[in-house]
């Protein structure tokens, strides 16, 4: 399995978030299989149909977002269930935005363990997204590199930000830092239309 997140040749972007488990993890259908199915899909609808038709669950606690420039689907996996939360925000400028960190958005808060770090980063990202007029790459850098507060989005601690990645789906490019952006502030760009695989 050579790849599990990124952008495929059909222009779909796929991301993974590990979540705090709400029940014991058990062996089942590996989450990596679902990620691979997403990367092999031609449309968001194709991936949604595939996940909903699989009779197994992942046995894990994680979230997958599969996006095109025009639509997305967001699955959250518990060890025994698959959720399809709808947490889109329409901000003051009429822009439809969406954010996620490392806790379940499709479950009540009282039924799960939400770390202060995940909650803080989610609240801050939603706050910043509310101010956006037209979501650009520079806007995304500003959000993902935000280091305000005790538990910021971008952290330089031992278990902090490993790398910052922005997928520009309409242009099929990936903007990324080589390591933690506190010490590696330069962004590099990989164009998937010109890259030779």
């Amino acid at each position: 399995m050579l790849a599990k997140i990124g952008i495929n040749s059909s222009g779909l972007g796929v991301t993974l978030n590990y979540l705090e488990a709400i029940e014991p993890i058990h062996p089942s259908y590996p989450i990596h299989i679902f990620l691979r199915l997403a990367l092999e899909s031609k449309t968001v609808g194709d991936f949604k149909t595939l996940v909903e038709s699989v009779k197994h669950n992942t046995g894990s606690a994680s979230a997958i977002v599969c996006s095109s420039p025009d639509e997305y689907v967001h699955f959250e996996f518990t060890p025994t269930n698959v959720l399809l939360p709808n947490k889109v925000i329409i901000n003051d400028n009429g822009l439809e935005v969406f954010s996620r960190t490392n806790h379940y958005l499709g479950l009540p808060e009282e039924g799960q363990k939400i770390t202060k770090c995940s909650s803080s980063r989610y609240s801050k990202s939603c706050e910043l997204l509310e101010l956006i007029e037209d979501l650009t790459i520079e806007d995304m850098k500003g959000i993902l590199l935000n280091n305000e507060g005790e538990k910021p989005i971008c952290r330089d601690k031992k278990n902090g930000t490993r790398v910052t990645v922005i997928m520009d789906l309409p242009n099929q490019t990936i903007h990324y830092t080589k390591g933690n952006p506190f010490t590696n502030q330069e962004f590099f760009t990989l164009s998937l239309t010109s890259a030779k695989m």
Side-chain angles (χ1 to χ4, degrees):
M1 193 172 301
L2 296 178
K4 57 185 180 182
I5 60 172
I7 304 176
N8 71 10
S9 58
S10 297
L12 296 186
V14 180
T15 63
L16 170 71
N17 288 77
Y18 287 108
L19 308 178
E20 290 288 336
I22 57 168
E23 51 191 292
I25 303 294
H26 58 84
S28 189
Y29 209 66
I31 192 67
H32 305 83
I33 300 295
F34 285 96
L35 290 163
R36 191 65 209 170
L37 288 172
L39 283 174
E40 291 183 355
S41 297
K42 297 206 178 297
T43 68
V44 170
D46 289 347
F47 176 61
K48 185 176 184 221
T49 300
L50 275 169
V51 173
E52 291 174 340
S53 69
V54 172
K55 302 303 180 191
H56 306 279
N57 193 30
T58 66
S60 68
S62 51
I64 295 175
V65 178
C66 178
S67 308
S68 74
D70 304 313
E71 62 179 330
Y72 79 97
V73 66
H74 170 213
F75 286 106
E76 290 183 336
F77 299 88
T78 75
T80 58
N81 198 10
V82 180
L83 308 170
L84 196 59
N86 182 10
K87 286 289 184 178
V88 170
I89 302 164
I90 307 296
N91 75 7
D92 291 340
N93 297 303
L95 188 67
E96 188 175 296
V97 291
F98 167 75
S99 179
R100 86 143 304 115
T101 53
N102 301 100
H103 62 275
Y104 287 95
L105 300 177
L107 293 175
E109 289 188 10
E110 60 270 13
Q112 56 178 313
K113 182 174 79 173
I114 302 178
T115 65
K116 186 175 180 182
C117 183
S118 183
S119 176
S120 175
R121 288 182 291 119
Y122 181 73
S123 295
K124 187 63 177 181
S125 63
C126 288
E127 175 191 323
L128 294 171
L129 285 167
E130 284 282 5
L131 306 173
I132 297 298
E133 292 185 16
D134 182 24
L135 197 57
T136 66
I137 296 302
E138 292 308 310
D139 289 329
M140 284 304 304
K141 288 178 183 178
I143 293 169
L144 294 175
L145 300 181
N146 183 279
N147 61 358
E148 299 171 358
E150 182 185 350
K151 301 286 185 183
I153 295 171
C154 188
R155 295 162 294 151
D156 62 350
K157 305 292 185 201
K158 179 181 177 184
N159 292 319
T161 306
R162 304 275 191 234
V163 63
T164 296
V165 177
I166 300 168
M167 296 183 203
D168 180 355
L169 299 180
N171 295 307
Q172 290 201 341
T173 56
I174 296 175
H175 306 266
Y176 64 96
T177 60
K178 293 183 178 180
N180 186 297
F182 276 93
T183 52
N184 304 278
Q185 296 182 355
E186 182 180 0
F187 273 83
F188 296 84
T189 302
L190 172 65
S191 171
L192 301 183
T193 56
S194 60
K196 294 180 179 178
M197 302 294 176

